[in-house]
């Protein structure tokens, strides 16, 4: 009976691993346009001196998602679209526990990697289908689906919704 249980556990572990996406340590393609996001730290996929540099085309080549939500900084419901923070971290082979984010104006905030879940925050590149200028909190804005869950409507989450994002460092 014990051997059967061990075989079942081994099979379950194998099936779990087989269903997980595997990110092979390899270099990302190099950006062709202006670099708008730099990711450093505990990542396994890079394209320049241990960093992952992204231009807009590279970010838009990743799986895209969108949601409609209100924010405390804008009027009415807006449809935000971009790459989920979850998918972005998979794309760079992230292995840290926290994200140190930095904006163009040097505003910095830490976000736990546990926040980067499917259906959670995105690195928005567009609002209502249009690219966001620096004046409009762009070109990148980490936006949470605030209207989805009450827990997203807190001072802590609002502080993590960094706009004019330029850099992410993946740390322990």
């Amino acid at each position: 009976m014990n051997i059967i249980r061990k075989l079942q556990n081994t099979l379950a572990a194998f099936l779990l691993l087989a269903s997980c996406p595997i990110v092979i340590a390899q270099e990302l393609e190099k950006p062709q346009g202006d670099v708008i996001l730099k990711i450093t730290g505990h990542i396994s996929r890079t394209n320049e001196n241990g960093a992952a540099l992204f231009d807009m085309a590279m970010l838009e080549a990743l799986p895209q998602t969108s949601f409609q939500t209100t924010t405390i900084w804008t009027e009415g419901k807006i449809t935000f679209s971009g790459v989920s923070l979850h998918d972005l971290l998979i794309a760079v082979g992230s292995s840290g526990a926290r994200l140190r984010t930095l904006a163009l104006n040097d505003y910095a905030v830490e976000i736990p990697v546990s926040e980067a879940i499917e259906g959670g925050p995105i690195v928005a590149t567009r609002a209502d289908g249009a690219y966001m200028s620096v004046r409009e909190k762009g070109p990148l804005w980490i936006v949470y689906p605030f209207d989805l869950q009450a827990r997203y409507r807190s001072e802590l989450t609002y502080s993590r919704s960094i706009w004019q994002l330029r850099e992410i460092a993946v740390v322990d």
Side-chain angles (χ1 to χ4, degrees):
M1 199 59 120
N2 198 13
I3 188 97
I4 292 174
R5 178 156 292 149
K6 285 182 181 179
L7 286 172
Q8 288 173 331
N9 289 342
T10 302
L11 180 60
F14 173 77
L15 291 174
L16 178 65
L17 287 173
S19 69
C20 292
I22 296 173
V23 177
I24 299 170
Q26 62 187 23
E27 288 201 357
L28 297 169
E29 66 181 69
K30 298 225 184 260
Q32 302 300 308
D34 293 336
V35 172
I36 60 171
L37 180 63
K38 178 180 182 180
I39 304 176
T40 60
H42 298 295
I43 60 174
S44 63
R45 298 191 70 212
T46 63
N47 56 13
E48 185 177 296
N49 299 325
L53 305 180
F54 289 87
D55 62 18
M56 186 63 78
M58 292 171 67
L59 286 174
E60 290 185 329
L62 296 172
Q64 298 293 292
T65 190
S66 65
F67 54 73
Q68 192 176 63
T69 193
T70 57
T71 80
I72 61 173
W73 307 280
T74 57
E75 303 250 344
K77 285 196 174 210
I78 296 176
T79 301
F80 291 97
S81 56
V83 60
S84 75
L85 194 53
H86 172 79
D87 287 341
L88 181 60
L89 294 179
I90 289 173
V92 297
S94 168
S95 62
R98 293 174 293 132
L99 307 175
R100 287 191 183 139
T101 61
L102 184 64
L104 293 173
N105 66 359
D106 292 329
Y107 174 78
V109 66
E110 284 196 359
I111 301 171
V113 168
S114 61
E115 289 279 302
I117 59 171
E118 290 186 39
I122 65 172
V123 177
T125 56
R126 297 175 190 238
D128 287 335
Y131 290 111
M132 298 174 290
S133 69
V134 171
R135 181 176 282 270
E136 298 165 322
K137 302 185 176 21
L140 304 176
W141 183 1
I142 295 181
V143 181
Y144 286 74
F146 300 108
D147 295 347
L148 184 64
Q149 295 183 29
R151 73 182 180 99
Y152 288 146
R153 295 184 297 276
S154 70
E155 284 300 315
L156 182 59
T157 301
Y158 294 144
S159 74
R160 292 174 176 162
S161 301
I162 183 172
W163 56 75
Q164 299 174 340
L165 176 69
R166 70 176 166 118
E167 192 169 329
I168 299 172
V170 181
V171 297
D172 285 332

